[in-house]
Amino acid sequence: MAIRTVSRTILYLLLIVLSLFYLMPVYVMLITSLKPLDQISLSEMWQLPQSLDFSSYQLAFEKLAPNFMNSIYLVIPATLISALLGSLNGYVLSKWKFRGSDWIFTALLFGMFIPYQSILIPLIQFLREAGLYNTIPGLIFVHVVYGIPITTLMFRNFYASIPEEMIESAKIDGAGIFKIYQHIIIPLSITGFVVVGIWQFTNIWNEFLFAVTITTSSQQPIMVALQNLSGSQIVQWNVQMAGALLAALPTLLVYIFLGKFFVKGLLAGSVKG
């Protein structure tokens, strides 16, 4: 018992040290964002601010507010649509298998491994022809398409844990494919939707490459606009750090309030493959 207590104490101390080490950049960002520009230097990077200055947050918010709303308009529909399509795909590929379904699933998974850079030129050409270039709907379309493979995989694994007997009983009662999905699968998928929603929300919110190549000026999401805070002559480090914290706030809040559901959903989907 004593050995177990000592080992657990050492483990907790190690985890605390690693957590503090991991949070060091966040600490630097936070204290830098609260300092006036004349107090920011490399030699005083770790020192607490002599006085709190919140003007950097006001300036960062004024510059990033339009782009923040662009990210909201992008991430919410893209997350919902890709999650819904992934749910439908996972449901059909796990509970209504047909000839060639495994090949279709493999082809979908192959899309996860195609590098973004390799399809940028044809993608931009397609969006120009479709009238979606430099638009939020164009970005939504891209993220939905690229999100379908991973959302399909996650939902397929999640639905594999649903007993086949439940589906067969519904079929005997005369329920069709869509009624089963509506009345049985959807109520059982709340945790799965939370997991996929958090995953997609985080990836789409933090994505940079598509945003910087497909959109310009007023249509850019917040991650692209964050880069433009640096300026050309003098770098306002306090404003940049405040902007970075503001940009990270939505994903941080999502994990704070829904993190336990995320872990629960991952464990639920790992029972069967």
Side-chain angles (χ1 to χ4, degrees), residues 168-190:
E168 294 299 327
S169 298
K171 289 180 182 179
I172 293 174
D173 292 337
I177 180 172
F178 291 110
K179 279 195 173 182
I180 293 175
Y181 179 75
Q182 179 183 357
H183 297 290
I184 297 179
I185 300 299
I186 289 293
L188 296 174
S189 303
I190 304 303

Side-chain angles (χ1 to χ4, degrees), residues 42-113:
L42 188 61
S43 59
E44 299 178 354
M45 179 176 62
W46 301 99
Q47 296 182 11
L48 292 172
Q50 300 174 8
S51 60
L52 298 181
D53 182 11
F54 293 95
S55 61
S56 58
Y57 283 91
Q58 180 181 355
L59 182 58
F61 183 77
E62 290 175 354
K63 291 184 176 181
L64 295 176
N67 306 96
F68 183 90
M69 294 309 301
N70 287 342
S71 290
I72 295 294
Y73 298 146
L74 161 67
V75 73
I76 292 178
T79 299
L80 293 177
I81 295 172
S82 60
L84 179 60
L85 293 178
S87 173
L88 288 168
N89 289 340
Y91 165 58
V92 171
L93 293 173
S94 62
K95 300 303 181 185
W96 295 78
K97 289 190 175 182
F98 50 90
R99 179 177 295 182
S101 61
D102 291 336
W103 285 100
I104 292 177
F105 179 62
T106 303
L108 280 174
L109 292 186
F110 180 74
M112 295 172 53
F113 304 101

Side-chain angles (χ1 to χ4, degrees), residues 194 198 253-263:
V194 172
I198 293 175
L253 292 176
V254 166
Y255 274 103
I256 289 175
F257 290 107
L258 299 176
K260 61 180 180 180
F261 299 104
F262 184 75
V263 176

Side-chain angles (χ1 to χ4, degrees), residues 49-247:
Q50 300 174 8
S51 60
L52 298 181
D53 182 11
F54 293 95
S55 61
S56 58
Y57 283 91
Q58 180 181 355
L59 182 58
F61 183 77
E62 290 175 354
K63 291 184 176 181
L64 295 176
N67 306 96
F68 183 90
M69 294 309 301
N70 287 342
S71 290
I72 295 294
Y73 298 146
L74 161 67
V75 73
I76 292 178
T79 299
L80 293 177
I81 295 172
S82 60
L84 179 60
L85 293 178
S87 173
L88 288 168
N89 289 340
Y91 165 58
V92 171
L93 293 173
S94 62
K95 300 303 181 185
W96 295 78
K97 289 190 175 182
F98 50 90
R99 179 177 295 182
S101 61
D102 291 336
W103 285 100
I104 292 177
F105 179 62
T106 303
L108 280 174
L109 292 186
F110 180 74
M112 295 172 53
F113 304 101
I114 299 177
Y116 293 175
Q117 297 86 345
S118 64
I119 53 90
L120 275 180
I121 293 178
L123 175 62
I124 292 174
Q125 290 176 341
F126 170 79
L127 293 177
R128 287 185 185 276
E129 293 293 331
L132 294 174
Y133 181 74
N134 194 28
T135 64
I136 297 299
L139 266 182
I140 293 174
F141 172 78
V142 171
H143 284 295
V144 167
V145 171
Y146 253 94
I148 286 176
I150 183 62
T151 57
T152 299
L153 173 64
M154 296 174 76
F155 272 112
R156 183 178 183 270
N157 290 340
F158 184 81
Y159 291 150
S161 61
I162 298 178
E164 294 288 344
E165 292 78 8
M166 188 179 299
I167 307 297
E168 294 299 327
S169 298
K171 289 180 182 179
I172 293 174
D173 292 337
I177 180 172
F178 291 110
K179 279 195 173 182
I180 293 175
Y181 179 75
Q182 179 183 357
H183 297 290
I184 297 179
I185 300 299
I186 289 293
L188 296 174
S189 303
I190 304 303
T191 305
F193 273 103
V194 172
V195 172
V196 172
I198 293 175
W199 179 273
Q200 282 294 92
F201 184 95
T202 305
N203 284 343
I204 297 172
W205 186 274
N206 294 329
E207 198 278 327
F208 181 81
L209 180 61
F210 285 145
V212 77
T213 53
I214 294 175
T215 59
T216 59
S217 62
S218 62
Q219 301 297 317
Q220 292 176 338
I222 192 171
M223 287 304 166
V224 180
L226 188 62
Q227 182 192 30
N228 300 331
L229 281 180
S230 59
S232 57
Q233 300 295 329
I234 299 176
V235 179
Q236 295 178 294
W237 291 109
N238 52 346
V239 177
Q240 273 206 303
M241 297 302 176
L245 290 172
L246 290 175

